[in-house]
């Protein structure tokens, strides 16, 4: 007999590790930078230089980059900025990982605090959390058909399974030019910048993946106008792009993890040679996974009255999609300015980031909870301290609805900002409104013992002879007609004919007359 199998392409988690790094370092202000008088705003990011993978571990090398906007301690009280770097070298222990495996590394700065020790020295405290995940692509063979013997009876079931159709990594690069307004003075120096991608939407098309979103750019700069040197610009630009993707179809389910690999802002001369143009260059790294749902009928067991069949099985983890949903979550808050920070003259810029704290299963979907971290830069009418910054967190909770999930489950969740708006209510209060995109894939996971090979041998004649030729059998709660036929070396058709049964299944406590197949005597 011949067992026909079909290969399913799956993506499964091989290993996962989480770790925290704590920083508490003193940092000397570079000689070329002005003395620090008062800190206006701070922010940080992690730059990964390399990840070295060997058996059972991954060594991360990179740096924590912190940026500071401050008022200098000099007679002119000029606004300045600096950038500092602290080295990172950390080992993450990952079970089952071997050299050559690819590690997907995510990081979050849980806390960043910068204290002024004196005008030439800072103390930097930070907690950085790393999450490393190693996924592997697997070919899982499922038994779908058996050929060869006429009297083979197969027990089957139909499953719905989520498989990986396409997996590739690519980059999407966008360059944009921003020309300052004609009534603005020329650009001299960039002090502070923030570049964010918002509302990114990725779609699977025939042979390609398309992207649409918004690029939000803010820059605080020194102009060549001595009377009014500090200027700022904020602009939002829509962008679109597409990537070639062999094997991609419109009915595939996209899960595309996006990381901003590079974001730069440079000064560029215009056609007249005057420095009035900002060149924005953004590179997005895309981990593209396109899934598809397949319905398959698999063999659970086989038997024939003529032979004893011994299946060899392998246990594999399969997944079924139960929730594919995109939800928008709207939250808002009112933030009061501390009296010591002066009255608000104008809001310059706001930036935000989303942090998911927990995801847990509910009866009809998943509940997502987290916070939006918001930083607001605003100006006040004080020449010695022209800007202040405030930071706040806004909690959110959102139910992503879907089918009920029983047993083990897994999920993939993307949470990002679509909109962030701020309105000055008065000189001491700001209203913040946020729209979040929450895109979720929730899968039910189960283990299936899949037949990989079938060996046959002659039936045990002694066992067959001991079986009664005819028996009155009472159906047990979990019995199927197929199980009963196998137990007594007969066929379902013979039992149906003898007991005048229809095409339906038998019921518990039902009495059946069963005759052993005469070919087994």
């Amino acid at each position: 007999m011949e067992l026909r199998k079909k290969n399913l392409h799956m993506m499964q988690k091989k290993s996962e590790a989480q770790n925290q790094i704590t920083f508490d370092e003193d940092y000397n202000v570079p000689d070329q930078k002005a003395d620090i008088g008062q800190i206006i705003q701070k922010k940080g990011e992690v730059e990964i230089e390399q990840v070295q993978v060997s058996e059972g571990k991954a060594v991360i090398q990179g740096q924590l980059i912190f940026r500071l906007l401050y008022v200098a301690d000099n007679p002119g009280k000029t606004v300045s900025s600096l950038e500092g770097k602290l080295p990172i070298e950390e080992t993450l222990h990952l079970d089952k990982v071997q050299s050559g495996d690819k590690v997907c590394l995510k990081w979050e700065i849980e806390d960043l605090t910068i204290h002024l020790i004196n005008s030439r020295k800072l103390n930097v405290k930070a907690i950085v959390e790393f999450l490393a995940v190693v996924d592997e692509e697997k070919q899982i063979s499922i038994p779908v058909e058996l050929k060869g013997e006429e009297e083979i009876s197969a027990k089957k079931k139909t499953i719905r399974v989520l498989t990986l159709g396409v997996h590739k990594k690519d980059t999407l690069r966008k360059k944009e030019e921003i020309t300052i307004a004609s009534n603005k003075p020329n650009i001299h120096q960039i002090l502070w910048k923030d570049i964010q991608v918002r509302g990114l939407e990725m779609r699977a098309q025939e042979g390609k993946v398309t992207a649409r979103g918004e690029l939000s750019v803010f820059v605080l700069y020194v102009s060549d106008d001595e009377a009014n040197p500090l200027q700022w610009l904020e602009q939002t630009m829509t962008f679109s792009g597409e990537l070639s993707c062999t094997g991609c179809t419109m009915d595939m389910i996209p899960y595309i993890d996006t990381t901003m690999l590079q974001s730069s802002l440079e000064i560029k001369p215009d056609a007249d040679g005057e420095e009035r143009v900002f060149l924005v260059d953004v590179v997005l790294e895309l981990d593209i996974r396109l899934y598809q749902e397949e319905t398959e009928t698999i063999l659970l067991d086989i038997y024939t009255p003529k032979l004893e069949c011994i299946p060899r099985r392998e246990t594999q983890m399969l997944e079924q999609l139960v929730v594919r949903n995109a939800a928008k979550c709207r939250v808002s808050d009112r933030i009061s300015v501390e009296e010591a920070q002066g009255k608000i003259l104008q809001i310059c810029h706001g930036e935000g980031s989303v942090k998911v704290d927990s995801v847990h299963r509910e009866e009809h979907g998943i509940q997502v909870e987290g916070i939006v971290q918001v930083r607001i830069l605003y100006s006040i009418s004080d020449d010695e301290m022209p800007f202040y910054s405030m930071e706040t967190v806004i909690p959110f909770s959102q139910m992503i609805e879907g089918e009920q999930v029983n047993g083990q489950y897994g999920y993939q969740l993307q949470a990002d900002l679509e909109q962030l708006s701020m309105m000055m209510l008065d000189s001491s209060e700001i209203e913040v409104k946020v729209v979040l995109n929450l895109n979720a894939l929730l899968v039910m996971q189960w283990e299936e013992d899949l037949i990989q090979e079938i060996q046959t041998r002659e039936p045990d004649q002694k066992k067959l002879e001991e079986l009664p030729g005819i028996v009155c059998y009472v159906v047990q709660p979990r019995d199927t007609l197929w199980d009963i036929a196998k137990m007594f070396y007969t066929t379902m058709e013979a039992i149906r004919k003898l007991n005048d049964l229809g095409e339906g299944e038998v019921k518990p406590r039902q009495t059946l007359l069963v005759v052993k197949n005469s070919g087994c005597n």
Side-chain angles (χ1 to χ4, degrees), residues 141-158:
S141 296
I142 60 170
V144 294
E145 189 179 0
L146 193 64
K147 295 182 178 180
E149 296 287 338
E150 292 184 1
E151 294 189 26
I152 291 176
S153 181
K155 186 177 185 180
K156 301 179 180 182
K157 78 171 179 179
T158 300

Side-chain angles (χ1 to χ4, degrees), residues 21-55:
I21 303 177
T22 302
F23 294 87
D24 188 352
E25 304 285 342
D26 290 344
Y27 178 83
N28 294 319
V29 177
D31 293 340
Q32 69 272 24
K33 293 294 182 179
D35 290 358
I36 299 176
Q38 285 184 277
I39 296 173
I40 299 173
Q41 192 173 50
K42 66 183 186 302
K43 66 178 178 179
E45 65 178 87
V46 173
E47 182 180 87
I48 302 300
E49 294 173 342
Q50 65 174 347
V51 180
Q52 294 180 325
V53 181
S54 57
E55 188 172 351

Side-chain angles (χ1 to χ4, degrees), residues 231-245:
Q231 302 283 335
W232 66 85
L233 175 146
E234 187 163 26
Q235 189 164 321
T236 299
M237 300 163 286
T238 58
F239 72 89
S240 61
E242 63 179 49
L243 298 167
S244 175
C245 187

Side-chain angles (χ1 to χ4, degrees), residues 14 52-57 96-103:
K14 184 176 183 179
Q52 294 180 325
V53 181
S54 57
E55 188 172 351
K57 66 181 181 180
K96 303 177 185 177
V97 169
Q98 297 176 341
S99 178
D101 286 342
K102 302 297 183 183
V103 177

Side-chain angles (χ1 to χ4, degrees), residues 190 192-194 217-221 231-233 265 278:
I190 296 173
W192 195 257
K193 67 179 176 69
D194 178 51
V217 178
F218 169 78
V219 56
L220 176 67
Y221 62 96
Q231 302 283 335
W232 66 85
L233 175 146
L265 186 71
F278 289 110

Side-chain angles (χ1 to χ4, degrees), residues 308-351:
E308 185 174 351
C309 300
I310 307 165
R312 181 181 65 81
R313 303 174 186 269
E314 286 183 2
T315 302
Q316 298 287 358
M317 181 71 74
L318 301 180
E319 295 182 337
Q320 176 183 319
L321 180 66
V322 291
V323 174
R324 179 198 175 192
N325 207 342
K328 291 189 185 296
C329 178
R330 291 174 169 82
V331 292
S332 61
D333 197 9
R334 292 188 173 190
I335 307 167
S336 297
V337 178
E338 295 180 11
E339 190 172 341
Q341 291 187 327
K343 301 296 183 182
I344 304 169
L345 189 64
Q346 185 178 357
I347 297 172
C348 301
H349 175 60
E351 59 182 282

Side-chain angles (χ1 to χ4, degrees), residues 39 113-117 121-125:
I39 296 173
T113 306
I114 301 178
H115 291 295
L116 188 62
I117 298 174
K121 182 175 283 191
L122 301 168
N123 176 253
V124 181
K125 290 184 172 70

